[in-house]
């Protein structure tokens, strides 16, 4: 089943701007944590903050790579590298991936959002559908990030 498709470039750009602001706030909070806190999964069996943030940077670059490969599939060698688990490198990776998506949107006519685009194991999508997934993916991980940050910033009073 294809993702719902977003077809309004101004709406997508507004959502991407909101992601930018949210990421800035999250990264600012992360700079106040210790290395041990940044690598603490908080909940057993889950990813620590650094892994989640690195994943977001990688996933945004991954989704854009699929979009750019349209209408075909992304070759294995087109897979973007994962950023190192270092807060500064992750911040750069997030900024670069996000800027590339925004640049793609601004460089193409709005009709690109309706173009066929294969996406990973999800199969046939549209460019707007993959961008819907990108935004949905960010929101999903943001909830866990902000919850974990709150727990790490609050000292235990056991």
């Amino acid at each position: 089943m294809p993702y719902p498709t977003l077809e309004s470039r101004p709406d997508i750009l507004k959502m991407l701007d909101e992601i930018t602001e949210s990421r800035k706030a999250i990264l600012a909070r992360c700079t106040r944590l210790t290395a041990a806190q940044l690598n603490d999964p908080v909940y057993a069996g889950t990813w620590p903050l650094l892994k989640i943030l690195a994943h977001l940077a990688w996933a945004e670059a991954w989704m854009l790579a699929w979009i750019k490969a349209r209408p075909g599939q992304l070759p294995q060698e087109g897979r973007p590298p994962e950023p190192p688990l270092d807060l500064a490198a992750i911040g750069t990776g997030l900024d670069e991936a996000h800027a590339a998506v925004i640049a793609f949107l601004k460089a193409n006519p709005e009709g690109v959002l309706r173009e066929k685009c294969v996406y990973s194991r999800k199969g046939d999508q549209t460019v707007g559908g993959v961008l819907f997934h990108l935004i949905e993916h960010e929101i999903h991980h943001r909830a866990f990030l902000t919850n974990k940050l709150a727990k790490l910033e609050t000292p235990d009073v056991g």
Side-chain angles (χ1 to χ4, degrees):
M1 176 65 89
Y3 293 114
T5 187
L6 298 176
E7 295 185 0
S8 167
R9 182 173 42 201
D11 288 346
I12 294 170
L13 289 169
K14 285 177 190 173
M15 289 182 245
L16 293 175
D17 185 53
E18 191 278 331
I19 287 172
T20 300
E21 294 307 311
S22 176
R23 284 180 177 180
K24 282 182 191 176
I26 288 169
L27 289 170
R29 290 171 70 184
C30 285
T31 63
R32 296 188 291 270
L33 299 177
T34 66
Q37 289 173 306
L38 290 170
N39 288 291
D40 182 346
V42 180
Y43 302 104
T46 66
W47 290 348
L49 295 174
L50 285 180
K51 177 66 178 164
I52 297 169
L53 290 166
H55 171 72
L56 286 173
W58 174 85
E60 192 161 6
W62 166 255
M63 290 181 216
L64 182 59
W66 278 95
I67 288 170
K68 287 183 174 180
R70 74 185 185 289
Q73 295 194 15
L74 180 68
Q76 182 65 26
E77 62 273 8
R79 183 182 179 99
E82 293 192 32
L85 295 181
D86 168 77
L87 191 58
I90 290 168
T92 299
L94 285 166
D95 286 347
E96 289 176 354
H98 208 57
V101 170
I102 292 166
F104 171 84
L105 280 167
K106 289 184 174 186
N108 287 281
E110 195 168 51
V112 75
L113 298 171
R114 291 182 294 281
E115 288 183 16
K116 180 182 173 192
C117 177
V118 175
Y119 175 61
S120 191
R121 294 182 304 266
K122 302 293 184 186
D124 288 347
Q125 304 291 324
T126 63
V127 170
V130 176
L131 292 172
F132 172 89
H133 178 61
L134 185 152
I135 293 162
E136 172 189 57
H137 180 258
E138 178 83 18
I139 293 166
H140 159 84
H141 284 295
R142 184 187 314 156
F144 220 9
L145 281 168
T146 55
N147 176 268
K148 288 181 177 199
L149 277 165
K151 289 197 169 287
L152 290 167
E153 293 167 335
T154 307
D156 273 342
V157 285

